[in-house]
Amino acid sequence: GSGTPLFNINYTRHIIHTMALLSYAVLLIASLVTGTQAFVTPSSVSAARVHVATKLGASEIEILPTLPEPKDISYGEESRKYRRTVYSHDDWRKHRRTDRFIYYLVSMGSSGVYKGLAREVSAATAIATVVCLYNALVGGYVDFLGVHHDAILSSPSLIPAGLPLAPFTLSSPSLGLLLVFRTNTSYKRWDEARKNWGMNINHTRDLVRMANAFYDAKSVSEERREDDLNTLALCTWAFVRSMKRHLSPEDEDEADFQAELYDKLPAQQAQCIIDAAHRPNRALQDLSVAVENLPMHFMRKNQVQEAVTIFEDNLGSSERLLTSPVPLFYSRHTARFLSVWLLLLPFALYEPCAGSWNHIAMIPATAGISVFLFGIDEIATQLEEPFTILPMQAFCDKIYNWCMEIISWKAGDSGIPVASASVVKKSHATTAPTPIEKELQAATVAVNGDYSDSKSRGGIKRFFKRSP
């Protein structure tokens, strides 16, 4: 009761019990936040199986992952390597499974996003614990038997800590809008980067396909044809690989980049790209030269060169994303607003949690709210720079394989008949050429080198004047 001396043995026991229980709650919450590993290697990447041909026949070997085991690293920049996912049908089935909610709840402790917030969540939880303990000391507490005891630290200058909940209720919509805009903007940046690489994938295949189909092999040997198309395919791959290196951290990709270039390209070409101040531009220059060296009609060359221009546009768009973050004052204001809001929230949760034993429910409530709100800002921050979480190396490897496969095809090898040049000329001769066709013929003569004919020069001028 109130007449018991300050250092009565019963009070001492109650204090010990209360502090032990609060400490246990803090340790429990901390274990949920920091006690498990952030990353678990998925079964699909734990070992990749490839078939190799040997003298004894087809055999199967395991290729172990080159990256260190995720359990050996902490959450941070290194963890972004494990977020470069390329989904297959099996992954989508797992993603859509009906027990995903239970699985995601059980695996919260192993979430890399939540582990990265350990300090912020611990700070908010510690404040909640201090508020709960302080108010128990200055305002009274209830022991394990349900008996209420007066304040241990009774002084007119010591008042219970607390804030009204109304300011947090009024400011929460504004905080929500800031977080929504932050996450939406970051996702749009990730989506644009992914679309840029999607365009690279599409137009590398398109460029090599057109070059293979348009190649005029009538006046060149088969070896010359294979060499020209192989050079074009390698130059196409060299650009996307140089773009990947251009958008990646130097310490992560430089050694692999140089090794791949020396392995696939001629030594002089590889060295020129490596020595260039802007490597993707140098690779695009080589690609343009490779296109111009192909024996085909100049109009078709122009069509192939359009894909090269699209590569430049994708590169510029990606450079813009890499060098221009979401305005820093917006990100910093959002982080400060969120931090102050969550660090002061325990003071406002004390009274609403009065129904729990010694208001202790405010501790897990603060921890849970902090995890989810801090997590929203953390996700936005991780998405803001998209290139180190995009599987760009996988994209480059697939582009290389697809380009090399396309140049291995030949017209007619699938059984589809190929019209000969004489048949094409004969079919064209059955109809009278239109005026624009006549000008195209004149322009072709002029471009092929016959500039002595004034009619040819006039024809090409009129053609380009009338063409859009």
Side-chain angles (χ1 to χ4, degrees):
S2 58
T4 307
L6 180 62
F7 294 100
N8 185 286
I9 188 63
N10 293 329
Y11 275 85
T12 304
R13 290 175 179 172
H14 294 321
I15 294 174
I16 294 174
H17 292 165
T18 303
M19 294 182 66
L21 185 59
L22 294 176
S23 300
Y24 175 77
V26 173
L27 291 175
L28 178 61
I29 295 170
S31 66
L32 292 176
V33 176
T34 63
T36 55
Q37 294 299 330
F39 300 96
V40 178
T41 306
S43 58
S44 59
V45 298
S46 60
R49 293 187 175 272
V50 297
H51 294 276
V52 295
T54 65
K55 293 181 180 179
L56 299 178
S59 63
E60 195 174 77
I61 62 174
E62 288 190 351
I63 305 299
L64 298 178
T66 57
L67 296 175
E69 288 295 327
K71 63 182 181 181
D72 296 333
I73 65 174
S74 60
Y75 181 82
E77 287 302 312
E78 287 294 320
S79 67
R80 295 176 68 84
K81 298 177 182 178
Y82 299 95
R83 303 186 183 278
R84 300 166 187 173
T85 53
V86 179
Y87 260 38
S88 63
H89 288 291
D90 291 337
D91 296 315
W92 281 114
R93 279 193 289 268
K94 182 179 178 181
H95 183 72
R96 294 189 298 262
R97 63 187 187 181
T98 56
D99 62 341
R100 62 186 181 275
F101 297 104
I102 297 176
Y103 174 78
Y104 295 150
L105 288 174
V106 172
S107 62
M108 280 184 62
S110 62
S111 170
V113 173
Y114 298 153
K115 285 180 65 65
L117 302 172
R119 290 179 296 180
E120 292 82 355
V121 175
S122 298
T125 306
I127 292 176
T129 304
V130 170
V131 170
C132 188
L133 181 59
Y134 170 80
N135 287 345
L137 294 176
V138 302
Y141 66 97
V142 177
D143 62 19
F144 294 129
L145 300 178
V147 179
H148 182 270
H149 299 272
D150 293 336
I152 297 176
L153 303 177
S154 60
S155 172
S157 60
L158 297 177
I159 59 175
L163 288 173
L165 190 59
F168 295 87
T169 304
L170 294 175
S171 60
S172 58
S174 300
L175 179 60
L177 289 175
L178 286 174
L179 292 176
V180 166
F181 179 82
R182 180 92 167 87
T183 52
N184 284 353
T185 303
S186 296
Y187 175 76
K188 288 179 181 178
R189 292 168 60 87
W190 178 90
D191 186 56
E192 182 177 354
R194 181 60 183 87
K195 288 178 179 178
N196 287 342
W197 275 96
M199 292 286 286
N200 282 344
I201 293 173
N202 295 345
H203 287 281
T204 50
R205 294 182 294 198
D206 199 36
L207 183 150
V208 178
R209 175 189 59 79
M210 288 190 294
N212 190 20
F214 295 164
Y215 193 94
D216 187 0
K218 295 191 299 295
S219 58
V220 298
S221 64
E222 181 63 23
E223 292 76 11
R224 165 72 186 279
R225 175 187 178 278
E226 292 179 358
D227 184 65
D228 286 345
L229 293 178
N230 185 69
T231 299
L232 178 79
L234 289 177
C235 289
T236 304
W237 168 83
F239 163 71
V240 293
R241 188 59 184 88
S242 299
M243 179 174 171
K244 189 263 181 183
R245 168 62 194 90
H246 188 65
L247 301 173
S248 301
E250 180 177 359
D251 57 348
E252 175 186 324
D253 193 44
E254 179 64 23
D256 292 339
F257 170 71
Q258 294 190 19
E260 288 186 56
L261 257 61
Y262 283 126
D263 180 57
K264 292 183 171 64
L265 301 179
Q268 183 177 356
Q269 182 183 359
Q271 192 62 49
C272 287
I273 294 177
I274 292 172
D275 294 340
H278 196 288
R279 291 163 170 175
N281 278 345
R282 174 70 219 203
L284 280 179
Q285 167 69 16
D286 294 342
L287 179 57
S288 293
V289 172
V291 172
E292 288 300 315
N293 288 338
L294 299 178
M296 65 176 62
H297 193 278
F298 80 97
M299 297 295 289
R300 289 182 167 181
K301 284 185 181 180
N302 291 342
Q303 188 175 356
V304 176
Q305 290 282 15
E306 290 178 1
V308 182
T309 302
I310 293 175
F311 294 155
E312 188 71 61
D313 294 338
N314 293 336
L315 175 61
S317 174
S318 299
E319 288 177 329
R320 172 177 53 81
L321 294 174
L322 181 64
T323 58
S324 303
V326 174
L328 295 179
F329 50 82
Y330 184 93
S331 301
R332 291 169 180 172
H333 176 72
T334 302
R336 290 163 183 159
F337 190 170
L338 180 62
S339 300
V340 173
W341 198 91
L342 287 174
L343 293 178
L344 293 180
L345 182 63
F347 294 94
L349 290 180
Y350 184 78
E351 286 301 328
C353 295
S356 60
W357 181 73
N358 288 320
H359 305 252
I360 199 171
M362 63 179 291
I363 298 177
T366 300
I369 296 173
S370 299
V371 164
F372 296 123
L373 290 185
F374 276 130
I376 294 174
D377 186 75
E378 176 68 15
I379 291 172
T381 303
Q382 293 294 323
L383 285 174
E384 187 176 359
E385 189 276 281
F387 299 106
T388 48
I389 58 174
L390 281 175
M392 296 189 294
Q393 184 62 49
F395 296 155
C396 293
D397 294 340
K398 289 184 177 181
I399 287 172
Y400 174 80
N401 294 333
W402 289 328
C403 289
M404 302 308 292
E405 181 185 33
I406 291 173
I407 64 173
S408 68
W409 300 333
K410 296 180 181 179
D413 60 3
S414 62
I416 300 177
V418 180
S420 64
S422 59
V423 173
V424 174
K425 290 180 179 179
K426 184 177 180 180
S427 64
H428 286 176
T430 58
T431 58
T434 63
I436 188 65
E437 289 176 339
K438 293 179 179 180
E439 293 184 7
L440 278 172
Q441 293 173 0
T444 303
V445 172
V447 171
N448 286 335
D450 187 7
Y451 289 96
S452 60
D453 186 1
S454 60
K455 293 183 179 179
S456 297
R457 293 195 299 270
I460 191 171
K461 290 179 181 179
R462 291 194 302 274
F463 167 71
F464 284 113
K465 183 177 180 180
R466 292 179 56 183
S467 300

